[in-house]
C-alpha cells in the first residue's frame, strides 16, 4: 500500500547541509527530513581536519583572502558572487555552530583554535595561513553531532531509513518526492511545497574512493532522469592522501601540522611542483604531482604509491611544522588522533617511525545540481528556477568550488548554503501554493522497483558495479584523454544495457538492501555517464579536470560552466543515450583569471 | 586465506526464529570483517542484510557481535579474529529487537539517547561582540572523551544491566549526558543528573566494564559513568 504525507517542506538527506537547512526552515515551516541513513551515519561525520573561516584568532586573516584562495583553488571557474558569500558568511556560521555547542579546540585565551590547510593563504598566496577551525581531526563528526543534537532540541521531524527514489515533477514544478520505507518496503508519497536536496556526493562511481558505500547520488540521478541539468560534472576531486588501495581518507591536516610527501628516492618532491606552498598546495596539484612521480618510476619500490611522512624527525628536519616550529610525537597524537589510529588499524604502520603508503582517492564532486546562491535549483543555463526545488551541500553546484575545491570548504559550503537554503525554503513556502499532485505519482517508482525485483538474467549488480568503478578510475581519474574518456563512456553505456539483465536474490519486502543497492547502481551509472560526457566535451585542463591531450587552461573558450542534460522520456530507470550540453558564464567580480601557481 | 563465516540469519517474512548459515570465504588477512560480509552478500547470497556506510569506523552503522564480542565490522581485521581453515561467527547486537539478519531496531537506543537532553542548554545572552563563547583548553578537555561517541550502540548492547532491563538508559546515553554535564558552557547539568538519578538511570550500572571493552572509539565509558555517579552522590562537578 502507498502512504501519503503532506508538509510545507521536505529535506532529503540528513548530513551537514540537510540538518542546517532543517534547523533554519523548521523555525517557520512544517518540515520533514527524509534520510536513507540514521542522521548521525551521514558522511559529514567523516570530515576530519577543519572548517575554514577568517576569524583571525591565530594571526591576521581576512574573508577577502579566503575568497581569493577559493577562487584561485577553483582555477577561476568559481562564481565569485557565491565565493564572496561563502567567505563572508563562514565567519558568522562558525560562530553559530559554537553557540549551538560545537566543541571546537581552543587557544590559551579561550578562542577557537585554527590550523593550516592546503591552498589557504595570507595576502593572496604569499604564505600558508591558520584558518581551519577544528575539533582535533573529527571536525565533521562534531558538526554532524551538534546539528543533530539541535534538531532534537528543536523537535525536527525525521523519517529515518527512508529511501527517496523519485521527485514529483508536475508542469515544471516540484511537488514533493516518492520514497520507500526501507524497513517495511512500503512506498510513501511526500507532498510538499518545497523539496531541498542535501544527499551528498556520489564517489562510489570510482574504484578507490574515500566515500561511504551509501554515497550513490540517488536524488541527483532523480534530477537527471527528470530532464533537469547537472552542472560541471567533469570536475571530481581526487584527494592526494587516501590509504593505499583502500582509499580511506587521511586528512590534509596531517600536512597542515607539518607532514610531507616523500618518493622512493627519499625526496620531498612537492618542492619541485609547488615551490611556495609545497605540500600545502591545492589538492588537484598534489594529486597530479603524486601521479607524475609514480609515472617517472619514483613511486615507493616502483609501485603506484608514495609516502605521507609525519614523523616528527622529518617535520623538524624540513621545518615544515606550523610557523616552522618544532613538533613532538605527543603533539601530533593529540592533534591527529583518529587518522593516526586509522594508519595503525588499516595499514599496520607506525606513523611515528615510518612513512604511510598513500595514493589519490576519489573524494568530492565539485559539480552537481545547479543552484543560485539561495539554493534554488536552476532549470537551464540561462538561470530559470525550478519552483519548489532546492539543493545544498555536495549534491549541489552553486558554484563555490569551481574546478577544484579547497580543503575545509566543503564543511563551509554545508553550513553556509544549508542555512541559506533553509531560510529560502521557509520564505518560499509562506507564499507558494501547494502544487496539485499528478495522478498516481508513485506509479513509476512501484513499476521500476517491481521490475528490478522480478527481472531474470545472468548479471550480478556487484560485478557491474566493479566494472563501472574500474573503468571510471582508470579513464576518468586524475589524468584523462579523449580516447580514455570515450572508452569509459562506451563501457558505462554497455553496463547500463546489462543492468536490465540483473537478477537479485532477495524478493522480499522488508529491508531489501539487495534491491536498493541495485537501484543505487543504476543511479551511479547515470551519474558516471554525465561525468564522462562532460569530461569528454571539455577540451582543456582546469583544476581537477586534467586532459593530457589538452594540457593548458583555455579561458578564451572554456571559462564557462557545463550544463549536461538527459533529453529523453523522463522516468526512474537508467537513461538511454539522449543528452545535450549547454553553457553558463562564470560570474567574475573581484579577481580576474591569472596563471595559477602555488 | 580460506575460512568459514557463520552468520545468524533471520528473515521476518519467512522465518519463525533465527538460524545459523555458514559460508566458505577467501580473504586477505588485512581485509575487514565487513569485506567478508560484502563478499557473501555480493557473490554468494544477496539476501544477507546488514547496515554499513563509511566502512572506516566513524559512521557507527555496522556494530555487531563478532565472535561473541561487540565491534564494528569495518574496524576488525580478519587476521585478528579467525585463522586459516577456522570459523568466524557474526550475529546481531543483543538487547534490541531483531529486524532482519544483522539488523536490529535502533529506536529504543535512540529514545534513551534523546531522554538525557543531549544538547547544549545555555540561555544567557550571547557575547556582545558577536563572537564565540570563551572556553579554556582545560575546560574543553574536561568533556573531550564523550565527544568521540558515534552512537553505534556497541556499549549499550554489551551491558548486562541493559540486557536484564531495556528500560535502563544504558552507557551510551550516560556518555552523551556526561559530554554536556561537564561542558562549562552548559547550564542543564542539574536536570540531566535528576534524569540519571532515577530508577532506570545511572545506578543500574554494575561496573561490569563490558561497555569500555566494546567501545570502538576507546572511550573510557565506565569511568565516565563513574564520574556521573560521583556528581550525583556529591552534588559537585569536579
Amino acid at each position: 500500500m502507498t502512504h501519503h504525507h503532506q508538509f510545507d517542506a521536505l529535506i532529503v538527506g540528513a548530513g551537514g547541509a540537510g540538518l542546517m537547512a532543517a534547523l533554519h526552515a523548521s523555525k517557520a515551516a512544517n518540515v520533514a527530513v527524509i534520510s536513507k541513513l540514521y542522521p548521525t551515519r551521514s558522511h559529514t561525520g567523516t570530515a576530519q581536519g577543519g572548517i575554514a573561516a577568517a576569524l583571525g584568532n591565530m594571526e591576521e586573516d581576512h574573508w577577502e583572502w579566503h575568497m581569493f584562495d577559493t577562487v584561485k583553488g577553483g582555477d577561476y571557474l568559481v562564481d565569485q558572487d557565491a565565493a564572496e558569500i561563502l567567505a563572508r558568511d563562514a565567519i558568522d556560521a562558525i560562530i553559530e555552530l559554537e553557540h549551538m555547542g560545537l566543541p571546537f579546540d581552543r587557544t590559551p585565551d579561550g578562542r577557537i583554535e585554527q590550523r593550516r590547510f592546503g591552498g589557504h593563504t595570507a595576502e593572496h598566496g604569499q604564505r600558508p595561513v591558520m584558518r581551519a577551525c577544528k575539533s582535533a581531526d573529527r571536525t565533521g563528526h562534531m558538526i554532524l553531532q551538534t546539528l543533530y543534537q539541535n534538531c532534537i532540541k528543536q523537535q525536527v521531524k525525521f523519517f529515518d531509513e527512508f529511501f527517496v527514489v523519485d521527485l514529483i515533477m508536475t508542469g515544471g514544478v516540484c511537488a514533493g518526492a516518492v520514497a520507500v520505507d526501507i524497513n517495511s518496503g512500503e512506498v510513501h508519497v511526500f507532498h510538499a511545497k518545497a523539496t531541498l536536496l542535501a544527499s551528498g556526493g556520489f564517489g562510489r562511481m570510482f574504484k578507490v574512493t574515500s566515500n561511504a558505500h551509501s554515497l550513490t547520488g540517488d536524488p541527483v540521478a532523480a534530477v537527471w532522469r527528470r530532464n533537469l541539468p547537472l552542472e560541471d560534472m567533469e570536475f571530481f576531486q581526487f584527494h592526494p592522501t587516501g590509504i593505499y588501495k583502500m582509499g580511506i581518507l587521511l586528512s590534509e591536516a596531517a600536512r597542515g601540522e607539518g607532514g610531507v610527501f616523500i618518493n622512493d628516492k627519499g625526496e620531498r618532491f612537492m618542492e619541485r611542483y609547488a615551490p611556495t606552498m609545497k605540500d600545502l598546495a591545492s589538492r588537484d596539484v598534489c594529486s597530479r604531482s603524486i601521479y607524475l612521480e609514480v609515472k617517472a618510476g619514483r613511486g615507493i619500490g616502483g609501485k603506484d604509491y608514495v609516502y605521507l611522512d609525519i614523523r616528527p624527525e622529518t617535520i623538524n628536519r624540513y621545518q615544515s611544522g606550523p610557523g616552522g616550529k618544532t613538533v613532538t610525537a605527543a603533539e601530533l597524537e593529540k592533534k591527529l588522533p583518529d587518522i593516526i589510529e586509522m594508519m595503525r588499524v588499516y595499514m599496520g604502520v607506525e606513523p611515528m617511525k615510518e612513512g604511510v603508503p598513500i595514493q589519490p582517492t576519489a573524494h568530492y564532486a565539485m559539480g552537481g545540481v545547479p543552484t543560485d546562491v539561495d539554493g534554488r535549483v536552476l532549470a537551464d543555463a540561462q538561470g530559470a528556477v525550478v519552483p519548489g526545488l532546492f539543493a545544498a551541500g555536495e549534491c549541489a553546484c552553486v558554484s563555490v568550488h569551481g574546478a577544484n575545491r579547497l580543503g575545509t570548504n566543503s564543511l563551509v559550503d554545508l553550513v553556509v548554503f544549508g542555512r541559506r537554503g533553509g531560510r529560502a525554503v521557509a520564505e518560499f513556502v509562506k507564499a507558494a501554493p501547494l502544487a496539485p499532485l499528478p495522478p498516481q505519482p508513485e506509479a513509476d517508482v512501484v513499476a521500476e522497483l517491481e521490475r528490478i525485483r522480478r527481472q531474470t538474467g545472468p548479471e550480478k549488480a556487484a560485478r557491474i558495479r566493479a566494472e563501472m568503478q574500474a573503468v571510471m578510475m582508470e579513464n576518468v581519474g586524475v589524468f584523462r584523454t579523449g580516447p580514455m574518456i570515450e572508452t569509459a563512456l562506451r563501457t558505462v553505456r554497455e553496463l547500463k544495457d546489462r543492468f536490465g539483465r540483473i537478477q537479485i536474490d532477495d524478493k522480499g519486502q522488508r529491508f531489501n538492501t539487495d534491491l536498493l543497492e541495485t537501484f543505487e547502481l543504476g543511479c551511479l551509472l547515470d551519474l558516471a555517464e554525465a561525468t564522462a560526457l562532460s569530461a569528454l566535451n571539455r577540451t582543456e585542463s582546469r583544476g581537477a579536470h586534467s586532459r593530457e591531450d589538452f594540457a593548458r587552461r583555455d579561458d578564451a573558450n572554456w571559462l564557462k560552466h557545463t550544463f549536461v542534460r538527459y533529453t529523453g522520456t523522463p522516468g526512474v530507470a537508467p537513461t538511454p543515450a539522449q543528452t545535450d550540453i549547454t553553457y553558463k558564464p562564470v560570474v567574475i567580480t573581484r579577481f580576474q583569471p591569472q596563471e595559477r601557481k602555488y | 586465506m580460506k575460512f568459514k563465516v557463520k552468520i545468524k540469519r533471520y528473515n521476518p517474512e519467512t522465518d519463525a526464529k533465527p538460524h545459523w548459515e555458514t559460508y566458505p570465504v577467501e580473504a586477505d588477512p588485512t581485509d575487514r570483517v565487513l569485506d567478508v560480509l560484502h563478499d557473501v552478500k555480493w557473490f554468494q547470497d544477496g539476501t544477507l542484510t546488514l547496515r554499513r556506510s563509511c566502512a572506516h569506523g566513524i559512521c557507527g552503522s555496522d556494530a555487531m557481535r563478532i565472535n561473541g564480542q561487540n565491534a564494528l565490522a569495518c574496524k576488525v581485521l580478519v587476521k585478528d579474529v579467525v585463522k586459516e581453515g577456522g570459523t568466524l561467527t557474526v550475529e546481531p547486537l543483543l538487547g534490541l529487537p531483531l529486524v532482519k539478519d544483522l539488523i536490529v531496531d535502533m529506536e529504543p537506543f535512540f529514545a534513551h539517547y534523546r531522554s538525557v537532553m543531549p544538547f547544549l542548554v545555555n540561555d544567557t545572552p550571547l557575547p556582545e561582540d558577536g563572537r564565540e563563547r570563551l572556553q579554556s583548553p582545560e575546560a574543553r578537555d574536561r568533556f573531550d572523551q564523550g565527544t568521540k561517541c558515534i552512537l553505534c550502540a556497541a556499549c549499550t548492547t554489551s551491558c548486562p544491566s541493559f540486557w536484564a532491563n531495556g528500560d535502563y538508559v544504558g552507557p551510551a546515553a550516560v556518555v552523551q549526558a556526561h559530554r554536556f554535564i561537564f561542558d562549562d558552557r552548559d547550564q542543564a547539568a542539574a536536570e540531566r543528573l535528576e534524569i540519571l538519578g532515577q530508577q532506570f538511570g545511572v545506578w543500574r550500572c554494575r561496573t561490569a566494564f563490558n561497555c569500555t571493552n566494546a567501545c570502538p572509539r576507546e572511550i573510557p565509558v565506565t569511568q565516565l559513568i563513574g564520574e556521573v555517579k560521583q556528581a550525583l552522590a556529591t552534588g559537585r562537578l569536579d
Side-chain angles (χ1 to χ4, degrees):
Chain A
M1 69 172 282
T2 302
H3 303 258
H4 287 263
H5 309 268
Q6 192 176 310
F7 292 94
D8 290 336
L10 308 178
I11 290 169
V12 180
L19 296 182
M20 195 72 175
L23 284 171
H24 282 272
S26 64
K27 284 175 184 164
N30 181 20
V31 174
V33 181
I34 310 175
S35 171
K36 69 176 179 179
L37 305 173
Y38 278 104
T40 59
R41 315 300 184 216
S42 304
H43 207 55
T44 297
T46 65
Q48 296 166 351
I51 177 167
L55 299 181
N57 285 356
M58 315 295 290
E59 56 186 326
E60 184 183 359
D61 199 6
H62 302 282
W63 68 259
E64 193 259 2
W65 294 356
H66 184 188
M67 176 189 168
F68 171 80
D69 292 338
T70 301
V71 170
K72 178 182 170 186
D75 218 349
Y76 294 91
L77 195 70
V78 171
D79 286 324
Q80 296 187 14
D81 53 342
E84 179 162 340
I85 289 170
L86 179 95
R88 278 178 184 266
D89 281 14
I91 296 168
D92 180 52
I94 267 89
I95 298 300
E96 183 182 349
L97 290 175
E98 196 284 326
H99 293 166
M100 285 185 194
L102 200 145
F104 285 110
D105 293 345
R106 300 291 175 153
T107 62
D109 59 352
R111 301 218 164 263
I112 296 170
E113 189 173 68
Q114 299 178 277
R115 68 156 63 108
R116 306 180 306 172
F117 239 79
H120 289 280
T121 74
E123 296 184 76
H124 304 177
Q126 293 303 306
R127 60 189 178 276
V129 71
M130 289 182 257
R131 183 179 291 150
C133 311
K134 71 214 171 62
S135 192
D137 56 356
R138 54 177 186 280
T139 311
H141 166 76
M142 294 322 322
I143 290 174
L144 185 65
Q145 294 285 326
T146 301
L147 293 176
Y148 187 57
Q149 289 157 4
N150 280 270
C151 284
I152 292 171
K153 189 176 185 181
Q154 211 172 297
Q155 298 185 306
V156 172
K157 170 86 176 159
F158 284 93
F159 290 85
D160 296 332
E161 297 191 321
F162 274 58
F163 187 113
V164 170
V165 182
D166 193 16
L167 297 173
I168 303 171
M169 295 300 300
T170 173
V173 174
C174 182
V178 181
V180 173
D181 174 359
I182 299 174
N183 185 18
S184 70
E186 290 175 344
V187 172
H188 290 244
V189 170
F190 289 88
H191 188 196
K193 293 177 178 178
T195 301
L196 184 142
L197 307 179
S199 60
F202 32 83
R204 280 282 153 180
M205 73 171 70
F206 295 100
K207 182 178 176 183
V208 177
T209 179
S210 63
N211 282 203
H213 287 283
S214 53
L215 287 174
T216 52
D218 329 311
V220 181
V223 166
W224 167 262
R225 291 166 176 185
R226 292 288 167 195
N227 303 123
L228 292 168
L230 300 178
E231 182 176 358
D232 290 344
M233 293 292 282
E234 63 271 43
F235 298 102
F236 206 98
Q237 179 167 82
F238 288 78
H239 192 295
T241 55
I243 290 181
Y244 183 50
K245 287 188 175 169
M246 301 178 91
I248 295 171
L249 195 73
L250 299 174
S251 172
E252 203 165 309
R255 284 171 284 135
E257 300 296 350
V260 297
F261 293 122
I262 299 290
N263 65 15
D264 194 49
K265 298 172 98 175
E267 296 165 331
R268 185 190 184 190
F269 58 85
M270 284 310 295
E271 288 174 336
R272 288 200 304 271
Y273 298 99
T276 304
M277 293 297 285
K278 302 186 180 75
D279 304 89
L280 286 170
S282 64
R283 290 175 177 173
D284 58 333
V285 172
C286 291
S287 286
R288 277 194 291 278
S289 305
I290 292 167
Y291 183 96
L292 292 171
E293 288 297 301
V294 166
K295 202 173 173 186
R298 294 191 291 271
I300 305 300
K303 291 192 182 166
D304 56 342
Y305 66 90
V306 297
Y307 284 139
L308 170 64
D309 192 336
I310 62 164
R311 290 176 295 176
E313 68 212 58
T314 305
I315 294 172
N316 295 335
R317 171 156 33 97
Y318 288 115
Q319 299 183 304
S320 55
K325 289 198 187 108
T326 302
V327 302
T328 66
E331 284 164 4
L332 291 167
E333 297 263 8
K334 185 164 168 61
K335 288 180 170 171
L336 306 168
D338 283 8
I339 63 166
I340 286 173
E341 190 199 21
M342 286 175 202
M343 294 166 183
R344 288 174 177 145
V345 169
Y346 296 112
M347 292 302 297
V349 299
E350 181 37 64
M352 294 301 139
K353 297 202 174 119
E354 57 191 322
V356 182
I358 56 94
Q359 69 180 161
T361 182
H363 184 55
Y364 187 88
M366 270 72 73
V369 180
T371 71
D372 69 10
V373 296
D374 289 305
R376 288 184 280 256
V377 170
L378 304 184
D380 58 40
Q382 284 72 51
V385 163
V386 183
L389 191 58
F390 298 75
E394 187 175 345
C395 74
C397 181
V398 182
S399 151
V400 282
H401 308 305
N404 171 65
R405 175 174 69 74
L406 280 196
T408 79
N409 267 357
S410 58
L411 294 176
V412 184
D413 181 358
L414 300 183
V415 296
V416 166
F417 290 98
R419 183 167 74 168
R420 290 179 73 93
R423 287 173 178 166
V425 161
E427 200 56 36
F428 176 81
V429 301
K430 268 193 224 165
L434 187 67
L437 284 179
Q440 292 200 300
E442 76 282 18
D444 286 352
V445 169
V446 172
E448 174 64 7
L449 295 181
E450 244 350 79
R451 193 186 67 72
I452 296 173
R453 203 191 308 266
R454 299 293 161 214
Q455 82 184 2
T456 57
E459 301 287 356
K460 281 276 192 194
R463 299 226 180 274
I464 292 178
R465 184 170 55 230
E467 288 183 42
M468 169 192 66
Q469 290 168 336
V471 79
M472 290 298 289
M473 194 79 198
E474 189 69 24
N475 297 289
V476 197
V478 174
F479 281 102
R480 304 141 176 207
T481 66
M484 288 162 71
I485 303 166
E486 281 170 356
T487 299
L489 187 57
R490 195 169 53 245
T491 305
V492 167
R493 284 177 168 163
E494 286 164 9
L495 294 173
K496 281 186 162 190
D497 185 49
R498 287 167 56 191
F499 182 85
R501 297 190 289 279
I502 292 172
Q503 184 166 328
I504 64 170
D505 295 338
D506 194 338
K507 311 292 187 187
Q509 294 296 322
R510 297 197 60 188
F511 248 104
N512 191 337
T513 56
D514 200 15
L515 174 73
L516 293 176
E517 281 187 23
T518 303
F519 183 82
E520 289 175 331
L521 168 64
C523 296
L524 285 173
L525 286 167
D526 279 349
L527 299 178
E529 182 183 10
T531 300
L533 277 169
S534 305
L536 185 61
N537 185 62
R538 184 175 286 269
T539 49
E540 66 155 353
S541 289
R542 181 185 299 273
H545 175 67
S546 285
R547 288 278 301 253
E548 283 177 300
D549 46 354
F550 296 93
R552 303 197 70 81
R553 196 176 83 192
D554 177 2
D555 287 342
N557 293 299
W558 287 106
L559 192 59
K560 56 190 180 186
H561 300 290
T562 305
F563 273 49
V564 63
R565 193 172 64 106
Y566 163 63
T567 57
T569 309
V572 293
T575 54
Q578 291 167 265
T579 58
D580 66 14
I581 287 179
T582 52
Y583 304 99
K584 181 166 171 278
V586 175
V587 178
I588 293 171
T589 57
R590 290 170 183 260
F591 304 111
Q592 286 303 313
Q594 310 166 13
E595 193 189 352
R596 185 163 166 257
K597 286 183 183 164
Y598 282 101
Chain B
M1 57 191 277
K2 290 183 178 175
F3 57 95
K4 292 189 176 71
V5 56
K6 185 178 156 194
I7 305 171
K8 201 176 211 178
R9 301 291 309 268
Y10 173 67
N11 180 343
E13 295 174 67
T14 57
D15 299 342
K17 59 181 175 42
H19 63 281
W20 293 93
E21 297 261 1
T22 302
Y23 303 87
V25 286
E26 196 168 349
D28 288 336
T30 54
D31 280 350
R32 297 159 278 197
V33 170
L34 178 63
D35 298 319
V36 173
L37 297 174
H38 272 152
D39 182 74
V40 172
K41 178 172 180 63
W42 292 343
F43 301 108
Q44 299 189 47
D45 184 352
T47 67
L48 176 65
T49 305
L50 63 145
R51 291 190 182 101
R52 85 286 183 266
S53 189
C54 82
H56 64 280
I58 302 295
C59 80
S61 297
D62 62 350
M64 54 188 75
R65 274 167 77 83
I66 297 168
N67 289 349
Q69 297 274 333
N70 280 6
L72 300 178
C74 62
K75 219 176 166 180
V76 176
L77 302 190
V78 165
K79 66 182 169 65
D80 296 325
V81 284
V82 66
K83 292 189 167 59
E84 178 81 37
T87 301
L88 169 69
T89 67
V90 178
E91 55 192 309
L93 297 174
L94 298 178
L96 291 169
L98 184 59
V99 175
K100 181 180 179 183
D101 289 346
L102 299 171
I103 292 182
V104 293
D105 179 4
M106 296 292 289
E107 182 47 33
F109 172 81
F110 280 106
H112 286 312
Y113 164 70
R114 290 192 298 266
S115 76
V116 299
M117 305 172 65
F119 40 77
L120 189 86
V121 177
N122 186 334
D123 297 326
T124 59
L126 294 169
E128 283 184 9
D129 61 0
R131 298 298 297 259
E132 66 267 48
R133 289 194 164 98
L134 299 181
Q135 181 169 53
S136 72
E138 296 73 30
R140 167 65 183 78
D141 272 352
R142 179 66 189 87
F143 63 95
D144 188 60
Q145 292 289 358
T147 68
K148 297 174 184 169
C149 174
I150 57 175
L151 297 168
C152 69
C155 60
T156 295
T157 60
S158 72
C159 171
S161 296
F162 182 76
W163 295 337
N165 192 328
D167 290 332
Y168 169 39
V169 294
V174 182
V175 165
Q176 291 290 333
H178 179 285
R179 176 253 173 275
F180 291 101
I181 289 169
F182 292 94
D183 185 336
D184 68 352
R185 298 172 298 170
D186 183 83
Q187 299 175 321
E191 285 159 85
R192 286 192 201 90
L193 287 171
E194 191 184 330
I195 294 165
L196 292 173
Q198 290 167 2
Q199 187 188 0
F200 295 107
V202 73
W203 302 113
R204 292 257 157 183
C205 167
R206 301 288 193 271
T207 329
F209 277 92
N210 286 14
C211 52
T212 301
N213 294 333
C215 179
R217 302 284 293 151
E218 294 178 5
I219 300 169
V221 181
T222 313
Q223 180 192 325
L224 302 192
I225 294 172
E227 290 173 7
V228 172
K229 286 176 177 172
Q230 194 173 10
L232 269 169
T234 64
R236 292 205 319 271
L237 297 178
D238 48 29

